Amino acid sequence: MTNLYYIWEGLTSLPILLAAMAGVLWGMCGGALPGISTAIAMSLVLPFTYGMDPSAALVLLGAIYIGSEYGGSIPAILIRTPASGSSAATVVDGYAMQRQGRGGEALGLSLVGGTIGGFVGLLLLSLLTQQLSKVALWFTPPAYFALGILGISVIASLSERNVIRGLIAGVLGLMVATIGTDPVSGVMRFTFGYPELMGGVPVIIVMMGVFAVTELMIQARERDYSEDVTERSTRLKLPSLKKLWSLRVPQIIAIVFGTIEGLTPGGGGSIAAFMSYNEAKRWSKEPEKFGKGSEEGVIAPETANNVVALTALIPTLSFGIPGTATAAILLAALLIHGLHPGPNLFTSHPEVVYQLFSGLFLANLGMFVFGLIILSPIIWLVNRPRAYLRAGIFGLIFSGIYSVNGSEFDLYLVMAIGVVGYLLRSLRFPFLPFVLAVVLGYMIEANYRRSLLITNGDHIVFLQNPISVCLLALSALFIVLPLYRQFRQRRRSSQAAHPQQP
């Protein structure tokens, strides 16, 4: 009964209500602005939480996390500019729907899917925190490495026609991820004498370059400059209950992967979104629509993103193991207020934990309400003439990238990544494997090196851990099965083209 009292107190507390609403609003605005990632939006507010009540401070940061996960999908759908890695998978079908005049439907699917994912994630966070968080303790460096390999293996299925090209794009992404400081020895590599590259190529720069800059370069070479897209009136259109029921399979898939990745340190929304997108395509009755404006391709990654936003807090609160980089900021807020995560947190400070749950519930409600309100001015911006829109996007890219480190070098770097993305698109290489490999690169390399240090360079360590063995076996299936399907398709095509004579 005491815990129920704390929950009710959180739902009726004015400071917590204000923190939840302010956090969601700022998170949605920060997530919708290219260059302002979830981590940046949270870190900008972190200094202001020093003098706040611990419960309100945690609710504020958690609400920013929730709001920014949805906010990132707005530019991803409307202007093909994902604000974070977790919204990159939404670009594929969300922007395709926008170009078909169905941008309002995509936005509605994103909003409703994100809200459903948020409430499911909150339910898991509230009921299964101590039980499910034990899974995170089973992961050792070999298991982390295998998890990264599993994420990379998804690129085989994401590559629609040519798995080999998808793997090549993934290797290129891993090469970009190795730029900077060696995770074990600290040696500088592939920096070419530029001190700005000592910390590696930031993921946000890769996202902005491959998606936003590349798209602008592709559009610049088009000879048709008609304003057919900007003249359309895009209005938010929420899906009906019948439509949501027909999309239940991709949502269930997203909930499963969102839960797994949220509980896994180093997983995060990016992996969950891509894997949910991939599996939704695999189990879809109409897989040919993916990449061409599939509703399943929008709701699956958006649901997964918000499930991760809540389930990532489970290992953070129970064991001090942040599931994502943004969860690490919330962990820092805990330590700032003298709260140490772990089993004792639920016994010594239960009011903080359960008021946090209440605040996150209010934040999910606020996300849905603000989602209905804040979209109108953003949609109005998208419906401006295409030339103005392109100039505005370039301005947002450069201002957002420059605001991160205040470095002109980052501006040159985002343009260089844009050229790489343009070459990939021109040569018909899939760019999603490239992006995913950059996101997972550090986790794969760092845990690979740490695993070998355990056994003095003996690779048997990856076969001694049962979790590592299972994940590596799944990785092999992800690569072999698409290759086998392509082989069978080519064989059938060859037999159809050259039928045997009786």
Side-chain angles (χ1 to χ4, degrees):
M1 294 300 294
T2 304
N3 294 337
L4 292 177
Y5 170 76
Y6 290 139
I7 293 175
W8 174 253
E9 187 179 33
L11 291 173
T12 57
S13 172
L14 182 60
I16 289 181
L17 175 62
L18 293 177
M21 297 300 104
V24 166
L25 187 58
W26 165 239
M28 291 179 64
C29 293
L33 293 175
I36 307 298
S37 63
T38 303
I40 295 175
M42 293 178 66
S43 60
L44 290 175
V45 176
L46 184 61
F48 298 98
T49 64
Y50 278 80
M52 296 178 60
D53 178 76
S55 299
L58 294 176
V59 168
L60 177 64
L61 293 173
I64 294 174
Y65 194 176
I66 292 173
S68 61
E69 287 299 315
Y70 167 68
S73 67
I74 299 175
I77 292 173
L78 298 181
I79 58 177
R80 204 177 188 272
T81 306
S84 63
S86 57
S87 58
T90 310
V91 170
V92 183
D93 286 281
Y95 185 70
M97 293 181 67
Q98 164 67 9
R99 298 198 65 170
Q100 296 168 7
R102 301 165 59 206
E105 296 180 33
L107 293 169
L109 290 170
S110 174
L111 178 59
V112 175
T115 303
I116 293 174
F119 281 120
V120 172
L122 179 59
L123 181 64
L124 294 173
L125 174 65
S126 303
L127 300 179
L128 305 174
T129 299
Q130 294 181 343
Q131 291 79 5
L132 291 180
S133 60
K134 297 178 183 179
V135 177
L137 295 179
W138 300 345
F139 277 76
T140 58
Y144 288 148
F145 167 78
L147 175 67
I149 294 299
L150 177 62
I152 291 296
S153 66
V154 175
I155 63 179
S157 298
L158 288 176
S159 307
E160 295 184 358
R161 298 182 179 179
N162 197 320
V163 179
I164 302 300
R165 289 192 177 189
L167 292 173
I168 292 175
V171 171
L172 291 176
L174 290 175
M175 293 171 64
V176 173
T178 59
I179 296 175
T181 305
D182 186 283
V184 176
S185 65
V187 176
M188 298 294 107
R189 359 164 258 185
F190 311 121
T191 60
F192 302 98
Y194 292 101
E196 293 87 353
L197 292 176
M198 292 175 59
V201 180
V203 175
I204 187 62
I205 289 182
V206 175
M207 299 294 174
M208 300 291 285
V210 171
F211 288 106
V213 176
T214 297
E215 176 63 20
L216 291 175
M217 295 176 67
I218 294 292
Q219 292 184 10
R221 74 181 187 183
E222 295 177 355
R223 296 184 179 182
D224 183 12
Y225 293 96
S226 61
E227 302 298 330
D228 57 333
V229 174
T230 58
E231 290 175 357
R232 284 197 295 260
S233 177
T234 306
R235 296 181 180 180
L236 178 66
K237 182 179 180 181
L238 297 179
S240 62
L241 293 178
K242 182 178 180 181
K243 174 64 68 175
L244 285 177
W245 177 251
S246 67
L247 297 173
R248 62 189 182 278
V249 173
Q251 292 183 81
I252 293 173
I253 292 173
I255 290 171
V256 172
F257 280 100
T259 302
I260 295 173
E261 294 300 332
L263 291 171
T264 305
S270 301
I271 305 176
F274 279 109
M275 296 189 73
S276 299
Y277 179 91
N278 175 69
E279 291 306 310
K281 178 180 178 181
R282 187 188 305 276
W283 292 92
S284 174
K285 296 180 180 179
E286 299 176 319
E288 67 279 358
K289 290 186 177 181
F290 278 71
K292 302 175 183 178
S294 172
E295 296 172 340
E296 297 175 272
V298 173
I299 201 169
E302 287 303 303
T303 303
N305 291 345
N306 286 70
V307 172
V308 171
L310 276 301
T311 55
L313 303 183
I314 295 177
T316 305
L317 294 176
S318 297
F319 300 98
I321 304 175
T324 61
T326 44
I329 299 177
L330 194 70
L331 175 62
L334 280 170
L335 300 177
I336 286 174
H337 289 88
L339 303 174
H340 297 280
N344 292 332
L345 180 64
F346 296 86
T347 57
S348 58
H349 300 282
E351 72 283 356
V352 174
V353 177
Y354 290 101
Q355 287 179 5
L356 172 62
F357 294 164
S358 302
L360 295 177
F361 176 81
L362 295 173
N364 274 285
L365 289 178
M367 182 185 72
F368 185 80
V369 174
F370 287 128
L372 298 175
I373 299 173
I374 201 173
L375 288 178
S376 296
I378 297 179
I379 293 174
W380 178 85
L381 290 175
V382 173
N383 286 329
R384 298 307 91 203
R386 184 179 299 181
Y388 298 156
L389 180 61
R390 289 174 180 170
I393 295 174
F394 261 120
L396 287 174
I397 293 171
F398 291 147
S399 60
I401 292 298
Y402 187 79
S403 66
V404 175
N405 298 314
S407 171
E408 294 183 7
F409 182 84
D410 289 348
L411 302 181
Y412 296 113
L413 189 59
V414 73
M415 292 300 296
I417 296 295
V419 172
V420 173
Y422 178 82
L423 293 176
L424 289 175
R425 292 274 297 274
S426 299
L427 297 175
R428 297 184 179 180
F429 278 80
F431 57 86
L432 290 179
F434 175 83
V435 174
L436 187 59
V438 174
V439 173
L440 299 179
Y442 179 81
M443 182 178 72
I444 292 175
E445 182 186 13
N447 288 287
Y448 174 77
R449 299 285 300 278
R450 291 167 186 164
S451 301
L452 294 182
L453 287 176
I454 297 174
T455 57
N456 294 321
D458 192 347
H459 287 77
I460 194 65
V461 66
F462 299 108
L463 301 179
Q464 294 174 339
N465 185 287
I467 297 179
S468 173
V469 172
C470 293
L471 294 178
L472 290 176
L474 287 175
S475 303
L477 289 177
F478 271 109
I479 295 176
V480 172
L481 289 180
L483 286 174
Y484 177 71
R485 286 197 300 265
Q486 287 189 8
F487 172 77
R488 290 189 61 184
Q489 291 177 357
R490 291 181 180 178
R491 185 176 181 180
R492 290 176 181 175
S493 300
S494 178
Q495 291 177 351
H498 303 87
Q500 296 182 355
Q501 297 294 333

